[in-house]
Amino acid sequence: MSSTLTPVRSKRSALTKGQLPKFAPYVVLAAALIVGAAILGVIGFNAFGWGIVSAILFTIGLVGWSAIAEGSRKAKDKLATCLVVGSFLIALLPLISVIWTVLVNGIPGLIAPGFLTSSMNGVTGVYDNRAVEEGAPVIGGIYHALIGTVQITLVATLISVPVGLLTAIYLVEYGNDGRLARAITFFVDVMTGIPSIVAGLFAAAFFFAVVGPGTKTGAVAAVALSVLMIPVVVRSSEEMLKIVPNELREAAYALGVRKWRTIIKVVIPTAISGIASGVTLAIARVIGETAPILVTAGFATSINNNVFGGWMASLPTFIYTQILNPTSPANPDPSSQRAWGAALVLIILVMILNLGARLIARVFAPKTGR
Amino acid sequence: MSKRIDVKDLNVYYGDFLAVEDVSINIEAKSVTAFIGPSGCGKSTFLRTLNRMHEVLPGARVEGEVLLDGDNLYGPGVDPVTVRSQIGMVFQRPNPFPTMSIRDNVLAGVKLNNKKISKGEADALVESSLQGANLWNEVKDRLEKPGSGLSGGQQQRLCIARAIAVEPQVILMDEPCSALDPISTLAIEDLINELKDQYTVVIVTHNMQQAARVSDKTAFFNIAGTGKPGKLIEFGNTQNIFSNPTQKATEDYVSGRFG
Ligand SMILES: Nc1ncnc2c1ncn2[C@@H]1O[C@H](COP(=O)(O)OP(=O)(O)O)[C@@H](O)[C@H]1O
Ligand SMILES: [Mg+2]
């Protein structure tokens, strides 16, 4: 076989004639960076402007060179590539900047002794003043808010996932696009747009009416959050169930399997990875909610392990109160350090959730390979 | 372990649309019956009425009788699930369950119904079903691997193994080879020949050579025009249908002078 191959020639192939050399983008990039630095040097240097100017110079340089050397089709291709990559970088900027800010500001709070293991119970402005004035360690932590967030979100998830998943199953498998199914779809769409504070007021009013005025517990907050979660779970599960091929359902029916067993054992396992990531998105959506929690669970500075009784803190409400009402109004820095630490923990929680969903998706995904 | 099917005056509807009109046919036990006819004449629709898969679609319904060894499938109080566990089906496109291994695919009929089965029995069932589908030698070393990793022809034989693992009386096949290459097609045709020792087999095919090769009897369906119902034109021994049909339409179709 190798005998039919033409020997490698040092001359450039006729088929690759008229292409920019491989190193072209790097040359242009280096030139753009240098020229960009020079221009910025004249009008006053800053890194952000340098990036923007260099990116524009790079695009102009590469597209121009390509237009001269390769012709207009390739030049347009390069322009499109530059625009796509540029938009991607712009989209990434806020994300990176948020993560960077939270990391920088949050790590001192996070590594403060007892931050994850103690509450704010008994922490008064006196300690914060001492921390600022005498350099004593910042005390007080987010333990109470962490368990509040975890418990409230967990209860909300326990309410939303069964309700949402069963609704989606009804819509896809039993609804037949009938009147009830269309009504449900309509109301789910309406629910998707409910402002979160309204959901909080609804839950609060509901419990005031049913349990008694002034009922503020973690459970009320969980109900408020599930009002926000259910439409997301319904929508995403519905989409996932819809893309399970009908052939699989028919294959199961043809084996003499009942419809509900087919749904439980064939349809849901096939869609489970998508459903899991939908649920994660729903949780990520509500875990940072502040307003509905303030009106439903109130705010606490001490540990409350009971979702069904007493006011409860959560990470977002903790951050909110620490910033708005610093423990020591004279020296707000320790409070702000704790707030950033809590924000970092919140982001880490959401990331852990995402990883968890990926893991579930990996474990349950349709198997491939031989 | 195989039963005959007798269909009397069957009309098949999708909502208000009459798709297949007035079919009566007698399908012998332990034989292979082929349904041929142009696209859209209602072969699949009719086949799916034989194990009550037709009514799975919204609005789909049936008038008439289908008798499995004398018992009407559409009689009052008959559970379609019981019918389907006696009359298995293989579809046009291979559809192994993507979340299951080869072994679990074969055992799907048992496992999905939560029937208790010992490991020894399960192993024996997997081996005998895969043997029955001529697939055992190709997959015996990778039973725990996913079924979707097999070739199209192997997947289709896996689906046949899955169908015979529930020990049906009748196996319906809707163009089982139309998505397969010639070699896999031959493997399936050989298999159909072996299956008829134990099962009643009904196969829809677009391929007239295939009908001639595998079937004992052939039914020719035709349609008068779009929007008109499909009808059974002629039913008889495969030999006769291909060499000596009584109807002009059949002759035109089998000799390729159709349309
Ligand atoms: N799900 C369905 N809903 C409504 N009409 C259908 C459906 N499936 C098939 N039909 C109609 O029924 C007729 C027979 O179709 P089909 O049984 O698939 O034919 P064949 O298998 O012989 O090609 C066609 O006119 C087709 O348009
Ligand atoms: Mg068909």
Side-chain angles (χ1 to χ4, degrees):
Chain A
M1 205 172 86
S2 61
S3 63
T4 61
L5 286 174
T6 28
V8 182
R9 286 173 299 172
S10 53
K11 165 177 161 295
R12 271 182 83 180
S13 153
L15 297 175
T16 60
K17 211 160 58 185
Q19 286 185 358
L20 288 189
K22 282 237 172 54
F23 55 81
Y26 305 105
V27 174
V28 180
L29 180 63
L33 286 173
I34 294 167
V35 177
I39 295 176
L40 264 285
V42 175
I43 59 174
F45 188 84
N46 73 68
F48 184 71
W50 185 36
I52 299 287
V53 171
S54 307
I56 294 171
L57 287 174
F58 174 78
T59 307
I60 295 172
L62 190 65
V63 173
W65 187 1
S66 168
I68 295 163
E70 297 180 316
S72 76
R73 193 176 66 83
K74 289 270 187 181
K76 280 183 216 152
D77 175 49
K78 294 245 158 38
L79 180 63
T81 309
C82 288
L83 289 180
V84 169
V85 173
S87 322
F88 169 69
L89 291 178
I90 290 172
L92 221 55
L93 266 183
L95 178 69
I96 291 175
S97 140
V98 164
I99 290 181
W100 178 251
T101 319
V102 175
L103 274 177
V104 168
N105 292 310
I107 285 179
L110 188 60
I111 58 176
F115 185 67
L116 291 175
T117 52
S118 62
S119 72
M120 291 298 287
N121 198 9
V123 179
T124 61
V126 177
Y127 294 97
D128 278 2
N129 292 341
R130 209 177 286 160
V132 173
E133 285 151 14
E134 300 164 21
V138 175
I139 63 161
I142 58 162
Y143 181 71
H144 60 307
L146 193 57
I147 56 166
T149 284
V150 169
Q151 289 196 28
I152 291 173
T153 316
L154 193 71
V155 174
T157 310
L158 288 181
I159 298 172
S160 316
V161 170
V163 173
L165 189 56
L166 288 174
T167 308
I169 288 174
Y170 174 78
L171 289 176
V172 177
E173 307 287 338
Y174 294 96
N176 279 338
D177 220 15
R179 203 173 292 163
L180 179 59
R182 270 178 291 154
I184 292 177
T185 309
F186 174 74
F187 285 115
V188 166
D189 282 348
V190 172
M191 270 174 86
T192 314
I194 289 186
S196 56
I197 182 71
V198 176
L201 288 176
F202 155 76
F206 179 76
F207 274 80
F208 287 7
V210 174
V211 184
T215 311
K216 284 192 179 178
T217 65
V220 185
V223 168
L225 292 190
S226 49
V227 170
L228 298 170
M229 273 181 83
I230 287 172
V232 184
V233 176
V234 172
R235 272 294 175 201
S236 59
S237 312
E238 195 188 346
E239 292 311 315
M240 289 304 135
L241 293 177
K242 269 189 194 155
I243 60 175
V244 173
N246 234 350
E247 300 164 9
L248 297 182
R249 297 184 181 89
E250 296 205 332
Y253 297 154
L255 291 170
V257 181
R258 285 192 191 285
K259 184 164 184 174
W260 65 272
R261 275 194 193 284
T262 303
I263 293 169
I264 292 176
K265 299 225 169 165
V266 175
V267 178
I268 292 184
T270 310
I272 191 77
S273 59
I275 293 175
S277 48
V279 169
T280 320
L281 281 181
I283 296 177
R285 179 181 167 204
V286 300
I287 203 169
E289 285 296 348
T290 319
I293 298 200
L294 277 178
V295 297
T296 50
F299 179 72
T301 52
S302 56
I303 297 166
N304 173 9
N305 277 319
N306 182 7
V307 240
F308 298 102
W311 289 23
M312 216 172 196
S314 70
L315 288 171
T317 54
F318 176 87
I319 298 169
Y320 173 80
T321 45
Q322 284 290 308
I323 295 289
L324 206 65
N325 307 309
T327 312
S328 160
N331 290 305
D333 283 355
S335 277
S336 130
Q337 174 184 326
R338 283 191 289 262
W340 280 107
L344 181 57
V345 171
L346 198 53
I347 288 188
I348 293 174
L349 270 186
V350 172
M351 281 186 170
I352 292 176
L353 272 174
N354 267 314
L355 288 180
R358 273 165 192 260
L359 212 65
I360 293 177
R362 177 85 47 90
V363 172
F364 287 101
K367 320 256 182 311
T368 49
R370 25 181 304 138
Chain B
M1 216 192 52
S2 80
K3 292 184 176 173
R4 56 179 292 117
I5 294 184
D6 300 283
V7 180
K8 286 187 195 157
D9 309 325
L10 198 75
N11 291 324
V12 191
Y13 295 86
Y14 289 102
D16 294 332
F17 172 58
L18 177 61
V20 177
E21 186 177 25
D22 199 23
V23 175
S24 298
I25 194 171
N26 304 308
I27 296 168
E28 305 288 338
K30 297 196 181 175
S31 70
V32 177
T33 304
F35 293 173
I36 60 171
S39 256
C41 68
K43 305 179 299 290
S44 304
T45 304
F46 178 64
L47 189 76
R48 289 164 60 93
T49 61
L50 300 183
N51 70 340
R52 295 195 64 168
M53 284 294 286
H54 179 61
E55 65 206 55
V56 167
L57 301 166
R61 64 200 168 82
V62 166
E63 288 166 358
E65 287 188 343
V66 179
L67 307 177
L68 179 68
D69 261 8
D71 301 321
N72 187 3
L73 302 188
Y74 290 94
V78 175
D79 185 349
V81 170
T82 320
V83 171
R84 292 181 201 134
S85 60
Q86 299 213 7
I87 306 181
M89 189 157 200
V90 175
F91 297 82
Q92 187 166 356
R93 284 211 307 173
N95 53 1
F97 296 119
T99 50
M100 298 183 193
S101 65
I102 292 174
R103 181 188 148 90
D104 286 348
N105 260 289
V106 177
L107 293 175
V110 177
K111 286 202 167 173
L112 293 180
N113 275 323
N114 260 12
K115 289 197 195 109
K116 293 282 164 280
I117 180 170
S118 74
K119 176 148 191 327
E121 282 172 324
D123 288 341
L125 181 61
V126 169
E127 177 165 356
S128 66
S129 306
L130 286 170
Q131 294 271 20
N134 282 343
L135 190 60
W136 174 250
N137 286 329
E138 288 156 68
V139 300
K140 64 178 179 225
D141 301 322
R142 48 170 168 144
L143 291 174
E144 298 307 326
K145 295 282 162 55
S148 45
L150 298 172
S151 77
Q154 289 173 325
Q155 287 188 19
Q156 194 61 299
R157 277 180 283 151
L158 177 60
C159 293
I160 295 176
R162 180 174 72 182
I164 59 185
V166 294
E167 298 178 348
Q169 311 288 342
V170 180
I171 299 179
L172 310 176
M173 300 188 182
D174 190 354
E175 299 188 32
C177 304
S178 65
L180 305 183
D181 64 282
I183 307 272
S184 310
T185 300
L186 268 185
I188 304 243
E189 287 180 7
D190 287 346
L191 175 57
I192 291 171
N193 260 324
E194 291 169 23
L195 288 178
K196 82 170 173 192
D197 297 341
Q198 287 189 57
Y199 305 95
T200 308
V201 179
V202 182
I203 174 173
V204 172
T205 174
H206 249 116
N207 178 330
M208 281 180 279
Q209 286 79 21
Q210 181 169 64
R213 279 194 299 264
V214 300
S215 69
D216 304 310
K217 294 213 166 178
T218 297
F220 171 63
F221 289 78
N222 204 354
I223 184 170
T226 42
K228 300 256 172 52
K231 287 188 176 159
L232 175 62
I233 304 296
E234 188 169 357
F235 176 54
N237 286 329
T238 299
Q239 280 267 311
N240 291 347
I241 295 284
F242 281 93
S243 54
N244 199 6
T246 59
Q247 302 289 319
K248 178 81 168 53
T250 316
E251 189 180 344
D252 286 352
Y253 186 76
V254 298
S255 60
R257 263 182 283 133
F258 185 80

